[in-house]
Amino acid sequence: MQPSGPSEVPAETVRVARAAFPKGSLAIRVRDELGPLFSDEEFADLFPARGKPAWSPGRLALVLVLQFVEGLTDRQAAEAVRARIDFKYALGLELSDPGFDFSVLSEFRDRLVEADAGLRVLDGILAAAGEKGLLKTAGRARTDSTHVLTAARDVVWLERVAETLRSALNTLAQAAPDWLAEVAEPDWFKRYAARAEDSRFPKARTQRDEMGLRIGRDGTRLLQAVWSRTAPQELGTLPQVEHLRQMWVQNFHQVEGEVRRRDPKDRPPGAICLVNPYDPEVRNSVKRDVAWAGYKVHLTETCEPDIPNLITNVDTTDATVPDVSMTEVVHAQLARAGRLPTEHLVDAGYVDAHVLVSARRQYGIPLTGPVAAAISHQAAAGDGFTADDFTIDWEAEQVTCPGGKTTTCWGPDRSPEGTPVIRVRFAGGLCRPCAVRERCTTSKLGRRLTLRPRQEHEALRQARAEQDTDTWKTRYNTHAGVEGTISQGINRCGLRRSRYLGLAKTSLQHQLTGAAINLVRIDAHLTGTPRARTRTSHFAALSPAEPKPGGAEKGLPPN
């Protein structure tokens, strides 16, 4: 790469662009307001010191963002650079510049993925916005997640194992063709030479089961051959062979020397279970009434009324990662980038006792989100005594119940999830003669309490008390606007489905999506486009009922 500094837009390009776009366009306005967003030096480490000169990586980064702004394919994006005046203006190119071959975009994305450099694109736009006073981090921010479908198509179990075996065979045919020719059984060429989708699976259950066992035997035979003494040692390290091994361990086992399919109870949990032969990092997950195979993306944005709401952090995980495990990750990333808000509004899934405490202690920010109610049969009954009704003396390590009885049976422990808790026990002799026993416990052994450590316990009590107030509800209504961000990402940038295979490439897609949405919002701010309001159907508008909290304007971006 031969890096060059930011260049001015050629005079002829300016003249023609002004004539062709008298009212301007997004690409032109962004260039005028923010200037050159990226420099070649920012991506110099992605290229070797010697070799064929590369097309400007700073310009390629902007092309990737504009590609997501308009939902273009690689061919369409390369054609836009070659033929569109506004693209040439944004990139600072001469009108006669021929651009580049569309394959350059794929190669540049691969470089970004290998170096985990996708965040540089998002940061470049945020830095330029900050210099122009369009980014305010010392305010409120909101975070939410949504599911992302894998780019690979769904497959049934038979096709999953058959395609996994076929992929391993194709890889071995390239790595050790002579060895595989000796090992492969004659029927394998008929069964696995073509894609499984091109063949017809039997309809009868018994025949399908027999076919699955046959595939299992063939895969077991191949794995035994790969790890035999006569096989080249490097074959066992091939990614497709390792994928085959994991798939077979999860789906098959040997009983008295015979290959059998594992029973459902004998299979691994969903968090590690392979579900797709084309994308090994995909996992199945369920959230409320939504079930999907793929990933999950977490978006964090600013939410101030007088400046554009810009996405400041994007995280992509596999589908099984719970939201609550990402709260501290998001805070750490915002802190490193210097974008910590003064208040963080989150969905209920991001809130737990330990994150309430850590957000205050480590970063000095209040975490605002619905806290789950206490789970006990007393709480469900509505008139029973919950843990909040007990008086706790933390220094003396003793608890007094609503009936006036005090216990010192206090012991530190761990919950099934591994978090620290405190177990408190009231002896049966104390509880049985109690006048309010029916509202407290039905156990003959006495009341049992499980408490969080003091800071977490008090944080939960305070949060539960605050969220019942009108002030808290009014403040939290602002969080609803993040749903508009997710909707904009889905409708404009294809956020719902991954364009690529693998977690790393999907993560890059989401970082580019965040950068693209930021450009769209900056342009809407420059043109004075008002923020969209929550859509209400004509029939719903006739309802005499009071609108729900957050039903008025949520500060949603224009679609």
Side-chain angles (χ1 to χ4, degrees), residues 86-109:
D86 58 337
F87 269 52
K88 290 184 180 294
Y89 186 98
L91 296 169
L93 297 175
E94 297 282 354
L95 294 178
S96 58
D97 193 293
F100 52 84
D101 185 78
F102 73 94
S103 62
V104 172
L105 287 175
S106 177
E107 295 171 356
F108 185 59
R109 282 197 303 271

Side-chain angles (χ1 to χ4, degrees), residues 425-447:
R425 181 175 62 85
F426 285 83
L430 291 176
C431 293
R432 280 193 293 269
C434 183
V436 293
R437 179 173 177 270
E438 293 182 356
R439 299 178 58 194
C440 188
T441 182
T442 58
S443 174
K444 296 181 180 180
L445 300 177
R447 181 67 185 267

Side-chain angles (χ1 to χ4, degrees), residues 360-378:
R360 287 275 192 182
R361 182 175 56 215
Q362 296 185 33
Y363 305 106
I365 58 175
L367 188 67
T368 302
V371 177
I375 301 175
S376 65
H377 73 85
Q378 293 89 349

Side-chain angles (χ1 to χ4, degrees), residues 223-420:
L223 290 171
Q224 291 172 344
V226 166
W227 272 279
S228 65
R229 295 182 178 179
T230 59
Q233 293 184 354
E234 64 273 10
L235 298 185
T237 62
L238 296 174
Q240 289 79 3
V241 174
E242 174 60 20
H243 185 207
L244 175 68
R245 186 193 68 80
Q246 294 181 17
M247 184 73 77
W248 254 239
V249 168
Q250 294 180 4
N251 288 274
F252 299 100
H253 63 155
Q254 294 193 36
V255 180
E256 297 180 355
E258 292 291 330
V259 175
R260 294 286 184 266
R261 185 182 179 184
R262 290 187 182 274
D263 294 329
K265 294 182 179 181
D266 193 31
R267 296 170 197 165
I272 63 173
C273 189
L274 302 175
V275 297
N276 197 289
Y278 312 111
D279 193 348
E281 295 177 294
V282 164
R283 298 293 182 268
N284 281 328
S285 188
V286 177
K287 186 175 183 180
R288 291 188 287 273
D289 58 344
V290 178
W292 78 100
Y295 304 98
K296 188 187 290 186
V297 60
H298 304 260
L299 301 177
T300 301
E301 66 174 0
T302 59
C303 46
E304 297 300 324
D306 53 340
I307 56 175
N309 295 333
L310 301 183
I311 296 174
T312 56
N313 193 74
V314 179
D315 278 297
T316 306
T317 66
D318 72 62
T320 62
V321 175
D323 291 348
V324 69
S325 65
M326 294 301 298
T327 309
E328 293 179 333
V329 174
V330 171
H331 287 164
Q333 293 174 347
L334 290 174
R336 284 195 296 269
R339 303 189 191 114
L340 273 176
T342 54
E343 182 181 16
H344 194 187
L345 307 172
V346 295
D347 189 66
Y350 291 90
V351 182
D352 197 6
H354 73 279
V355 295
L356 286 171
V357 173
S358 65
R360 287 275 192 182
R361 182 175 56 215
Q362 296 185 33
Y363 305 106
I365 58 175
L367 188 67
T368 302
V371 177
I375 301 175
S376 65
H377 73 85
Q378 293 89 349
D383 62 347
F385 294 127
T386 66
D388 292 340
D389 297 314
F390 288 72
T391 302
I392 305 172
D393 188 337
W394 296 95
E395 286 76 15
E397 296 186 350
Q398 63 184 25
V399 179
T400 302
C401 73
K405 306 296 191 299
T406 300
T407 182
T408 57
C409 293
W410 172 297
D413 197 1
R414 290 274 175 179
S415 69
E417 294 77 21
T419 58

Side-chain angles (χ1 to χ4, degrees), residues 324-558:
V324 69
S325 65
M326 294 301 298
T327 309
E328 293 179 333
V329 174
V330 171
H331 287 164
Q333 293 174 347
L334 290 174
R336 284 195 296 269
R339 303 189 191 114
L340 273 176
T342 54
E343 182 181 16
H344 194 187
L345 307 172
V346 295
D347 189 66
Y350 291 90
V351 182
D352 197 6
H354 73 279
V355 295
L356 286 171
V357 173
S358 65
R360 287 275 192 182
R361 182 175 56 215
Q362 296 185 33
Y363 305 106
I365 58 175
L367 188 67
T368 302
V371 177
I375 301 175
S376 65
H377 73 85
Q378 293 89 349
D383 62 347
F385 294 127
T386 66
D388 292 340
D389 297 314
F390 288 72
T391 302
I392 305 172
D393 188 337
W394 296 95
E395 286 76 15
E397 296 186 350
Q398 63 184 25
V399 179
T400 302
C401 73
K405 306 296 191 299
T406 300
T407 182
T408 57
C409 293
W410 172 297
D413 197 1
R414 290 274 175 179
S415 69
E417 294 77 21
T419 58
V421 295
I422 298 169
R423 309 289 186 188
V424 176
R425 181 175 62 85
F426 285 83
L430 291 176
C431 293
R432 280 193 293 269
C434 183
V436 293
R437 179 173 177 270
E438 293 182 356
R439 299 178 58 194
C440 188
T441 182
T442 58
S443 174
K444 296 181 180 180
L445 300 177
R447 181 67 185 267
R448 302 288 190 274
L449 293 178
T450 300
L451 306 177
R452 299 291 189 106
R454 181 174 184 174
Q455 288 186 325
E456 297 181 9
H457 178 84
E458 293 176 348
L460 275 179
R461 291 190 64 176
Q462 180 181 357
R464 286 170 179 156
E466 288 181 352
Q467 70 186 26
D468 289 333
T469 64
D470 292 337
T471 301
W472 186 94
K473 293 176 182 178
T474 301
R475 192 172 76 249
Y476 185 68
N477 280 346
T478 305
H479 176 266
V482 75
E483 298 294 341
T485 300
I486 293 174
S487 176
Q488 187 179 24
I490 293 171
N491 295 327
R492 182 152 195 160
C493 303
L495 182 68
R496 176 66 75 227
R497 181 176 288 276
S498 176
R499 289 189 175 194
Y500 318 107
L501 298 177
L503 179 60
K505 290 186 176 181
T506 301
S507 178
L508 174 62
Q509 172 189 337
H510 295 157
Q511 290 162 348
L512 294 175
T513 296
I517 292 176
N518 284 346
L519 279 193
V520 171
R521 293 182 171 185
I522 290 172
D523 181 65
H525 178 77
L526 296 176
T527 57
T529 304
R531 296 176 180 177
R533 297 175 65 87
T534 303
R535 291 184 177 90
T536 304
S537 68
H538 297 293
F539 178 72
L542 298 177
S543 173
E546 291 293 329
K548 297 180 179 180
E553 184 174 350
K554 296 179 180 177
L556 306 188

